[in-house]
Amino acid sequence: MSHTTRDLLYLVTIVTFILALRFLSRPDKARWGNQIGAVGMLLAIAVTFAQSEVVSYWEIAVGMAIGGGFGAVAARRVKMTAMPQMVALFNGVGGGAAALISWAEFHNRVPAHGNLKLDISIAIMLSALIGSISFAGSMVAFAKLQELIKGRPITYPGQQVVNGLVVTAALAAGIAIAAGGEEQWLMWALLGCAAVFGVLFVLPIGGADMPVVISLLNAFTGLAAAATGFELENNVLIVSGMLVGASGTLLTLMMSRAMNRSIANVLFGAFGQVSAGAAAAATSDGGTVRAASAEDVAVMLAYAHKVVFVPGYGLAVAQAQHDVRQLADLLEEKGVEVSYAIHPVAGRMPGHMNVLLAEANVPYPQLKEMDEANPEFGRTDVALVVGANDVVNPDARSNEGSPIYGMPILNVDQAQTVVVLKRSMNPGFAGIENPLFYNPKTVMLFGDAKESISKLIEDVKGL
């Protein structure tokens, strides 16, 4: 294959990746985006296989079979509740691959060519540094989401000093490589220090901030892939890596803005490290919890004019999205106006709730983002909160002592009646008590969300 033909086909691949991102920005077009991106990747692999520089086809084929097989099985079997940790795992694998390629390029080029060109050595240094941080950090994020380690921030005295020393050592090794250092131990030092920093970087971040961290690490992996493209002089890797890096960065900034927090506060604020005294103070106002039966809630829903469903991670845990859709359809048959209020950081990864509801074929126009949903709560008869907690916590508006003070929330407490479906009174992923549960207009429907909604469906049908 000529270089002109290769470059033309790679250009087609780049266009498909851009179109894929465009379609993925809309839930109703996301399936098309996935398919277009997959076709582009298949084309890129085929063009790569056609290159004369390929030394061993069978080794590549074996690697593709192992990786592709694992990906296919994971995509089929992993539950929606485990999707965030799968994304973190896959993202980490991408960063690790970039780091390994940088190590292989350094190992092979130095003996063969002597001093590396400045641009190649810088690319190797950046790919190794960013890729290792992304790999190690993503593995910690996976472990926290999988509850293999505590989701709360893990801190220790002097951690910022230790982090600074580790990242300085990694940068020093990288600068030495870029300056012409040819010693293999410099690459090992760079990879090792970067990996250690990736672990130390994510450990102090609380589980409630994992969506932001996953997005940021995704951006890191994109940048590492782009640097790898410069190493290999591959335009597809450069452009696709920059697309991932740019989109991940924008998504990170958008989610931080949705929580009214800076990136620095997310990364270094140890959010979620709530003291016992603060937790006790949150519930010391003497409020009482009102429990309701499914029959009572069914009457509220059936005779309402407008009902807003507010999904959260509990909906994903219970796998109740199809039941929610069935209940919504039943209410619409009775003339009730139904919509869904989606908070930008609901769930445990960006777009978690959108994907969950799209799986149940919820009509896209019924999905209302926070800015569109909040003005509607004032005329809402019933706000049905299914598994959400921190994103509906009114302390974010009124309690300056709360860790989430200032975070934009869904104003469900402005509805005439709030029904909260929860298993128990345990706090949410951030570990913060929610005074909404003690609000006089709030009633609690305790139990598994799927079972509770199934009972609501039966009772609404009987009215």
Side-chain angles (χ1 to χ4, degrees):
M1 180 182 292
S2 67
H3 289 295
T4 302
T5 303
R6 179 198 65 185
D7 291 343
L8 179 60
L9 292 175
Y10 275 159
L11 179 60
V12 173
T13 295
I14 290 169
V15 172
T16 62
F17 289 162
I18 295 173
L19 289 175
L21 281 178
R22 177 68 181 86
F23 282 111
L24 285 169
S25 65
R26 291 176 56 93
D28 57 335
K29 302 291 185 182
R31 189 184 300 271
W32 277 100
N34 271 325
Q35 293 172 348
I36 292 172
V39 169
M41 182 57 69
L42 180 62
L43 176 61
I45 293 172
V47 173
T48 301
F49 260 91
Q51 300 305 304
S52 58
E53 293 87 352
V54 176
V55 177
S56 176
Y57 288 98
W58 73 266
E59 289 180 348
I60 298 176
V62 169
M64 289 177 58
I66 295 173
F70 178 82
V73 172
R76 290 285 184 182
R77 295 188 178 181
V78 171
K79 297 179 180 179
M80 181 58 66
T81 50
M83 195 62 68
Q85 46 264 53
M86 189 185 78
V87 171
L89 181 62
F90 283 4
N91 180 66
V93 169
L100 287 175
I101 290 172
S102 67
W103 172 78
E105 286 295 299
F106 183 82
H107 180 75
N108 294 330
R109 283 176 181 257
V110 169
H113 305 289
N115 291 332
L116 296 173
K117 294 180 180 179
L118 180 61
D119 58 340
I120 297 298
S121 60
I122 291 176
I124 288 175
M125 181 266 287
L126 291 176
S127 178
L129 177 68
I130 302 173
S132 293
I133 293 173
S134 177
F135 170 75
S138 296
M139 294 303 103
V140 176
F142 167 81
K144 285 198 170 194
L145 291 169
Q146 192 67 19
E147 298 181 354
L148 300 177
I149 60 177
K150 292 191 300 183
R152 292 289 184 87
I154 299 174
T155 60
Y156 53 90
Q159 68 176 24
Q160 300 302 344
V161 175
V162 174
N163 288 357
L165 291 174
V166 173
V167 76
T168 299
L171 288 172
I175 292 172
I177 291 173
E182 300 178 7
E183 300 294 332
Q184 294 290 333
W185 71 266
L186 286 173
M187 177 56 70
W188 286 112
L190 172 57
L191 292 171
C193 290
V196 171
F197 177 73
V199 173
L200 299 178
F201 168 68
V202 179
L203 279 178
I205 301 175
D209 285 331
M210 278 302 116
V212 181
V213 175
I214 290 173
S215 179
L216 181 62
L217 291 172
N218 183 60
F220 282 7
T221 296
L223 295 176
T228 303
F230 282 104
E231 292 174 34
L232 303 178
E233 299 178 350
N234 186 297
N235 292 332
V236 170
L237 271 177
I238 294 172
V239 175
S240 59
M242 292 307 298
L243 285 173
V244 174
S247 60
T249 301
L250 288 173
L251 185 57
T252 302
L253 293 173
M254 289 171 61
M255 288 192 294
S256 297
R257 191 177 301 118
M259 296 188 296
N260 198 30
R261 295 166 62 202
S262 66
I263 294 294
N265 180 261
V266 171
L267 300 181
F268 308 113
F271 176 77
Q273 195 174 32
V274 184
S275 66
T283 58
S284 62
D285 57 0
T288 58
V289 174
R290 294 191 303 150
S293 65
E295 293 82 0
D296 295 333
V297 175
V299 173
M300 298 179 194
L301 295 173
Y303 294 101
H305 294 289
K306 180 176 177 60
V307 172
V308 177
F309 290 90
V310 182
Y313 183 69
L315 177 68
V317 172
Q319 287 290 287
Q321 62 269 26
H322 296 282
D323 302 88
V324 167
R325 168 67 193 277
Q326 185 179 351
L327 176 60
D329 290 344
L330 190 60
L331 294 176
E332 287 181 318
E333 291 175 5
K334 292 182 175 292
V336 180
E337 180 185 348
V338 174
S339 64
Y340 301 78
I342 310 296
H343 193 281
V345 294
R348 295 190 182 174
M349 65 178 291
H352 198 174
M353 294 300 102
N354 300 74
V355 174
L356 194 72
L357 295 172
E359 183 184 337
N361 296 317
V362 171
Y364 178 69
Q366 291 185 356
L367 302 181
K368 308 294 184 183
E369 298 298 330
M370 180 174 61
D371 292 339
E372 186 181 2
N374 272 341
E376 297 296 313
F377 283 114
R379 68 179 191 90
T380 297
D381 297 299
V382 181
L384 192 68
V385 181
V386 188
N389 192 3
D390 304 315
V391 298
V392 295
N393 191 331
D395 268 357
R397 289 197 315 263
S398 57
N399 184 0
E400 295 186 10
S402 173
I404 61 172
Y405 178 71
M407 183 182 85
I409 61 168
L410 293 167
N411 300 324
V412 298
D413 56 334
Q414 295 178 2
Q416 293 184 25
T417 301
V418 181
V419 179
V420 179
L421 275 63
K422 262 179 84 71
R423 286 180 176 272
S424 67
M425 290 298 295
N426 289 334
F429 204 39
I432 302 170
E433 294 291 342
N434 191 342
L436 175 69
F437 305 154
Y438 305 92
N439 192 308
K441 65 170 66 174
T442 300
V443 296
M444 309 292 294
L445 182 56
F446 291 111
D448 176 79
K450 187 178 181 68
E451 295 177 2
S452 296
I453 294 173
S454 296
K455 292 178 182 177
L456 290 176
I457 292 172
E458 295 176 4
D459 292 333
V460 169
K461 286 180 178 179
L463 293 175

